[in-house]
Amino acid sequence: MTDVLSGQHRERPNAAEYARKPPLRFQQGDGPTADPGGAASGMVAGYTAAWNSGNSESVVEFFTPNCEVSINGGPVTRGAANLANLVEDFLDEVPNLSLVCDGCRIAGDQVAYLWTLTGHHVETGKALRFSGWSEWDLEDGTKIKCSRGWFNASEYYRQAGIAAPKPRLTLVQAPSATLEAN
């Protein structure tokens, strides 16, 4: 994995190693801050509680109506109605999920939200515990207009005991070139 900020290669911690780390603590004046007591901090706490409520509508309330969400660089889900379907599908897949905010960094309208999720896969009953992060672009400091989420999908499928979906290939036809004689 390449560290986004330094550009240096480093090994990605596995979920178990990540989960043992203490919550992140940031001090004022050390670059982006944890925004203690600010509007974004309150939003982060509410967002975590919304996922733990098991109610997809509560989760979607934290997004703008025209939001864009991408997970692991996959297709972009656009709009609150489509996001509601995505959240509902995931809540159906892990109905007893518990989400913990491991920390966040806030810089203006940019948030890095670090999380750990536990629960059980509905079909296999197998326990899940994995960590990831989301990068948010906020609107007015309280609504997510763009979210890019990241986690180790292979580890999720392994823990759940299900086969990973086959990647979808999109074929793009190159424009035909015609040569013209001068």
Side-chain angles (χ1 to χ4, degrees):
M1 165 172 102
T2 301
D3 183 78
V4 176
L5 297 177
S6 70
Q8 295 178 359
H9 179 77
R10 62 185 171 96
E11 292 300 312
R12 180 186 307 272
N14 67 37
E17 291 171 328
Y18 185 80
R20 287 192 300 263
K21 291 184 178 181
L24 300 176
R25 303 281 185 237
F26 304 106
Q27 297 188 10
Q28 296 288 346
D30 184 25
T33 67
D35 183 40
S41 291
M43 192 219 51
V44 165
Y47 177 83
T48 304
W51 272 102
N52 288 325
S53 77
N55 181 329
S56 62
E57 292 174 8
S58 296
V59 174
V60 174
E61 286 177 7
F62 286 87
F63 291 82
T64 63
N66 59 343
C67 63
E68 294 185 349
V69 176
S70 176
I71 300 169
N72 288 341
V76 175
T77 299
R78 289 183 170 84
N82 292 326
L83 177 60
N85 292 332
L86 181 73
V87 171
E88 190 65 39
D89 287 348
F90 191 73
L91 289 171
D92 288 347
E93 196 167 312
V94 187
N96 69 333
L97 77 76
S98 175
L99 184 69
V100 174
C101 176
D102 298 321
C104 68
R105 292 293 288 242
I106 300 168
D109 283 340
Q110 307 296 305
V111 175
Y113 175 80
L114 290 76
W115 51 264
T116 297
L117 183 145
T118 58
H120 292 83
H121 191 270
V122 70
E123 291 177 17
T124 65
K126 294 195 174 193
L128 301 168
R129 181 180 181 88
F130 60 97
S131 298
W133 72 94
S134 297
E135 304 163 6
W136 296 337
D137 298 335
L138 300 182
E139 187 172 282
D140 299 327
T142 59
K143 294 282 186 177
I144 303 167
K145 66 180 175 182
C146 183
S147 176
R148 294 161 304 280
W150 305 94
F151 70 98
N152 185 335
S154 298
E155 181 64 12
Y156 169 80
Y157 292 117
R158 186 194 69 73
Q159 288 181 28
I162 58 176
K166 302 245 186 244
R168 294 187 304 170
L169 296 177
T170 304
L171 299 177
V172 178
Q173 184 175 350
S176 60
T178 56
L179 298 175
E180 294 180 20
N182 288 345

